Amino acid sequence: TPAPIRTRRSASAAPSDSVDFRSLPSSVDDPRYLKRTRQIDALLRQRPERLVEEGMMIDRDTARDDFWWFCKRFTSFQTYRITESGHPLKGKLWIDHPYSFWLCRQYQEVIAEPQEGWVWVKIHRLGHKTTTLLGLCLWIHAVDDSKTIGLWTHKAEEIGTGMGRGLLAEIQTERLRDHFPQFRNLKEGTKQGYVVDRPAGPREQSLLIASILTSPESVHPDIFMLDDVVTARLQGNVAQIAKISKNISSLAALMTPDCPVIVCNTPKDKADPLIVRERDGLFVKIIRQSATYGGVSMS
């Protein structure tokens, strides 16, 4: 008999404090998900305020334990549909694709069971790869609004503040703001990113999005993320590759030994600074996965 989805009582508890990550459902088709959805939807349809509140609490607490559930129930992933011609799941939600489920689980594992070093999630160029990573930032702040995250990318300068503002506009939903008060008055950061709404006091930026081409400032977030720090356009650009390599090393010098580091980048060529770091044995874990084009199986 599958173990039930257990929920959290404390709003500030870490994911591993209330549920064993390994006991979560292993697929989108797990009957526990269907049972939980029916339970919540039935409560939310009731008129008595007490039952509606109970449904919201179960939904919120389940999301704190399960990043995939959070994406499906509280972000705009609930609207992203597969449109590829000939895809066997065409018309269905991307969040229900086995690959998306797998990716959510990989990200959650890095947070729930941190490695003592850098982790590279070597995934193929899925269209919503970055969106899922930004959704992870929201989930981390839904679980613990005091956490700070630094995200470095090569795309920051061309996007401008859009990566932070776009996160507010495209990924957030009314349901997210209704269930998690820290997102009701989310502020755009002084640079790219945002600051969650929390009690008065020192307010470091909750999410800082910075360009990997800019020398890192003296910032010390709780979690470091690197997304597309190396792109196809850099191939053959020796000067920029050298600059990025130097800045990656500078970031490494800012980190504490136990700081979670997630690298989400498609490998490019042998000059790729991340490939060099891999050859030098500087990743404690590398997660490789590819998906069949237009299919549902993974290899």
Side-chain angles (χ1 to χ4, degrees):
T1 303
I5 300 177
R6 292 148 55 193
T7 57
R8 177 173 295 103
R9 299 302 177 190
S10 169
S12 61
S16 57
D17 289 343
S18 66
V19 65
D20 179 2
F21 168 73
R22 302 291 175 180
S23 72
L24 292 175
S26 59
S27 75
V28 298
D29 299 322
D30 191 295
R32 287 176 287 173
Y33 279 139
L34 179 60
K35 182 178 180 181
R36 179 54 51 89
T37 301
R38 287 175 174 172
Q39 177 190 19
I40 293 170
D41 290 348
L43 289 168
L44 295 180
R45 283 195 300 267
Q46 300 298 318
R47 291 187 178 276
E49 185 176 324
R50 176 181 59 81
L51 295 181
V52 172
E53 176 64 21
E54 182 180 340
M56 292 176 66
M57 289 177 61
I58 294 173
D59 205 5
R60 181 179 65 235
D61 289 344
T62 304
R64 287 194 181 112
D65 286 332
D66 189 330
F67 173 49
W68 178 83
W69 181 275
F70 175 82
C71 286
K72 183 176 176 67
R73 299 284 295 187
F74 294 99
T75 74
S76 57
F77 268 123
Q78 61 186 300
T79 64
Y80 293 178
R81 295 195 176 275
I82 299 171
T83 59
E84 289 180 11
S85 177
H87 197 296
L89 297 181
K90 184 177 180 180
K92 296 185 180 297
L93 294 172
W94 265 116
I95 193 62
D96 290 333
H97 192 294
Y99 192 91
S100 299
F101 182 86
W102 172 86
L103 182 58
C104 287
R105 284 289 186 265
Q106 297 306 313
Y107 283 151
Q108 180 167 353
E109 182 176 347
V110 175
I111 301 301
E113 300 178 354
Q115 300 286 321
E116 293 185 359
W118 291 32
V119 176
W120 188 355
V121 185
K122 261 190 188 181
I123 63 175
H124 87 307
R125 295 197 62 81
L126 193 66
H128 52 257
K129 173 176 65 72
T130 297
T131 307
T132 308
L133 191 66
L134 291 173
L136 180 66
C137 297
L138 289 178
W139 178 71
I140 290 170
H141 291 134
V143 173
D144 185 348
D145 57 22
S146 69
K147 290 289 185 185
T148 57
I149 303 170
L151 192 160
W152 280 264
T153 176
H154 187 270
K155 300 181 293 186
E157 291 186 348
E158 65 187 61
I159 292 174
T161 58
M163 205 164 185
R165 189 178 296 120
L167 178 63
L168 308 184
E170 296 179 14
I171 300 182
Q172 278 200 96
T173 62
E174 285 301 320
R175 178 180 284 174
L176 176 70
R177 289 184 284 270
D178 286 344
H179 288 64
F180 297 95
Q182 59 267 47
F183 296 115
R184 289 175 190 166
N185 295 299
L186 202 62
K187 308 295 184 184
E188 189 170 339
T190 53
K191 295 187 177 180
Q192 297 175 63
Y194 62 76
V195 181
V196 297
D197 189 11
R198 56 182 185 265
R203 287 181 177 235
E204 289 190 38
Q205 193 155 319
S206 303
L207 171 64
L208 170 66
I209 300 174
S211 170
I212 193 63
L213 294 173
T214 304
S215 298
E217 301 174 11
S218 183
V219 293
H220 303 275
D222 299 310
I223 300 170
F224 284 74
M225 297 180 179
L226 280 73
D227 176 50
D228 283 339
V229 292
V230 180
T231 66
R233 286 182 295 175
L234 286 179
Q235 292 180 342
N237 192 329
V238 178
Q240 276 208 359
I241 289 175
K243 186 174 184 179
I244 290 172
S245 180
K246 179 182 177 182
N247 288 345
I248 289 176
S249 295
S250 297
L251 282 177
L254 295 175
M255 302 172 186
T256 57
D258 59 348
C259 181
V261 182
I262 302 176
V263 176
C264 181
N265 212 97
T266 304
K268 298 303 174 186
D269 57 29
K270 61 183 181 181
D272 184 333
L274 297 174
I275 295 290
V276 173
R277 294 183 71 84
E278 179 185 7
R279 287 202 302 265
D280 291 343
L282 297 179
F283 285 96
V284 297
K285 186 174 184 180
I286 294 179
I287 302 167
R288 297 178 177 87
Q289 188 64 58
S290 61
T292 60
Y293 179 77
V296 296
S297 63
M298 297 185 294
S299 60

